[in-house]
Amino acid sequence: MTISYNWLMDYLPELPEPEKLSHILTSIGLEVEEMNRYESVRGGLNGLLVGEVRDCQPHPNADKLKVTKVSIGGAEDLQIVCGASNVAAGQKVVVAMVGATIYPVNGDPLTLRKAAIRKVDSEGMLCAEDEIGVGNSHDGIMVLPNNLVPGTPLSEVFPVYTDWIYTIGLTPNRMDAMSHAGVARDVSAYLTHHIRETKVQHVAANGFKSDLPDTPISVKVIDSAACPRYAGVSLRGVRVGASPEWLKNRLVAIGQRPINNIVDITNFILHDTGQPLHAFDADAIEGNEVIVQQLPEGTPFITLDDKERKLSKDDLMICNANGPMCIGGVFGGKHSGVSATTTRIFLESAWFHPAGIRKTSLRHELRTDAATRFEKGVDISQTVNVLKRAALLIKEVAGGVIEGEIIDVYPHPVEKKEVGLKYHYLKKLSGKNYHHEAVKKIMSSLGFEVVREGMDEIRFSVPLHKTDISLPADLVEEIVRIDGLDNIEIPSVISISPSLDPLAVKERLKEKMANYLSGRGGMEICTNSITNSKYYSEEEKLTGVAMINSLSADLDWMRPSMLETGLEVISYNINRKNNRLFLFEWGKTYHTTPQKGYLETEHLAVFLTGDRTAEHWQDKPVATDYYFANGIASGLIGCLGMTPQFQPGNNGTTKISIGGREVGSILEVPTKKLSSFDIRQPVIMVDLLLPELMELQEANRIRYKEVNKFPVVQRDLSMVVDASKTYGEMEVAVASLELPLLKQHRLFDVFESEKLGKGKKSMAMSFFFSDEEKTLTDKEVDKMMGQIIARLEKSVAAEIRK
């Protein structure tokens, strides 16, 4: 939100200095993010004077230069070398003195210094329009009217509009401060409470009256829920043209582009009062009737930006007798707007339901100033007063007469809410004892009315411009921000109740896992959990979660998987020649089930693609593969003190389990899925379910044990199995024996050859046995190896090689 200091002075003539005002705004909750000096001409024409050319001679050393003698009202003339072809003796010109800074229209600021040009001293510069920022012409130096006196500051010839502009960061609930009138009201409350009583001087519309008796245009509101109040007035004989300077200056200072006097007045009123207005060309209102209604789904409508949009059945439209003219509260239509030939206008001031406006605005991607205000809730009580003021301004600036009385369709007037505040609650929440009179003074200056007052409680009627007030806590917030958070006393004794953080263990384990991944070269990413529904099949969408009020057409689905958002990041990097990627992300997925309703699950997703080692003069790069991903998963679970098992799953996945409980998976992403993201290299994803891991980890108590003093016995076993068998299946088979003395096992060789038989391969494993109480005998180890061999023969049809 942009606020003008000069504009605020219309409401508060005794305004504090700009710097002090900045501190006041921040202290009352209107945080000033920027404060800048504004000048209609950059530099304010400082250092520029009116000069008179007394003499003009050719430059002795350059054909296209001239040496002039210029008077600026002093005892001696200045010698200035000039290259303009139109310079001549007797002219009144713009002189930039040595030391002055000029601000060209297209260029950086330039500070002048005394210089010799082709061996002739020059003590300044004769300026063109574009060199000082007052125009765009560079055809020659600027020749001024002959009646000007040499030495006159140029700022007196071309008045410069100056102002201070504040950029305020508003929270979404502060619609009441999205205007100069609203900000002035808050500043007035602060000044009244802290300094002296200061009243906001509102611009009255008391002079409004109809010039012609008949009202040429009627209004019909079909959907009063979507449009509870609609007002309008007609004007005839207006002249559309450029706005006066004061109006242009106000708008340009806050970053608005002047268009014409009618449109500029509606923009002025918007930023002045917060109420959006819309001006129709009355001759385009067919049937002289304005109808507020919804139209059938898919109705075509051409908006002001020349685009044809298909309307939704929920879009509220402002129509004439034959069709739509405007998307209500959002954007105007091409054929009903004010043009240079317009002489009759119909001016609209309305209150539209915030939810409907926001949905329409997002649906058509039209984030206009009007929609931004309507969707937050404007003051319904000022609808007609604002309309009167705008009509009077149009009469003043564009001429014309008012036709008929104001039409005000307001079938169900909104009643003000009442909210009570107990004084002990105020102290409890704010930490400060407020005098009852101070509370009333603050709230009254903000527009609240006292309905009932007692010893312990005061009840207020909430003004309609404070749409965010509904609870006693809201009233406390208003009092505290006007009084100032800095004014709340710090107690001499602070009592703190120790508490346990239920997330402490989880966050500590997450940090441990993140450190492991970072140590292995991983980079953490953070993606949006709202994604595009086009990534998912109709079957996947059956259990998915759609966004009811989506931010855009591309962000309309809560992700059911971590895969797609990760692939977006991978695609982005690969397109920028960053092919070696080791990424990880903490995130949630979302589903629905008939039994449990909405479900969200927290994941740790690891994405691997490209070479895992860079090319080196000593080594060739090593590609990322399934086994590297398997090692990452084992390391992650291992750093939590647990050992995972891996088993083949469906659709190219490998299940990761601990003690028979599934905790995640490894997926070699299918080529078809990669192609949809324009990825042409393999990608592997490790997906771990955090709730499962945390629950298992809590049950997994780590206990200290002495280092075993007895030797470890190693036995190797080579076997022939079907080529389809995996090491994971062998691990599961061995683990099912639950041999307490078997401490570790690993695969150390895989060999495939036709000599072994068709579809066969040889796998060799090492087994490590140890007893903490004695040295194992060969007989004991042989017995355990016999059990292992028997289980492998049964489970994976292994043939033991002798």
Side-chain angles (χ1 to χ4, degrees), residues 22 24 41 180 182 261 307 338 380 383 426 477 507 510 633:
S22 175
I24 290 174
V41 179
H180 286 81
N261 48 10
K307 292 182 180 178
V338 173
I380 196 170
T383 305
L426 172 59
E477 180 187 358
E507 294 303 320
K510 284 176 66 174

Side-chain angles (χ1 to χ4, degrees), residues 164-184:
W164 285 96
I165 304 299
Y166 304 90
T167 302
I168 295 174
L170 286 178
T171 50
N173 64 314
R174 291 304 310 278
M175 171 55 211
D176 61 296
M178 289 188 74
S179 66
H180 286 81
V183 173

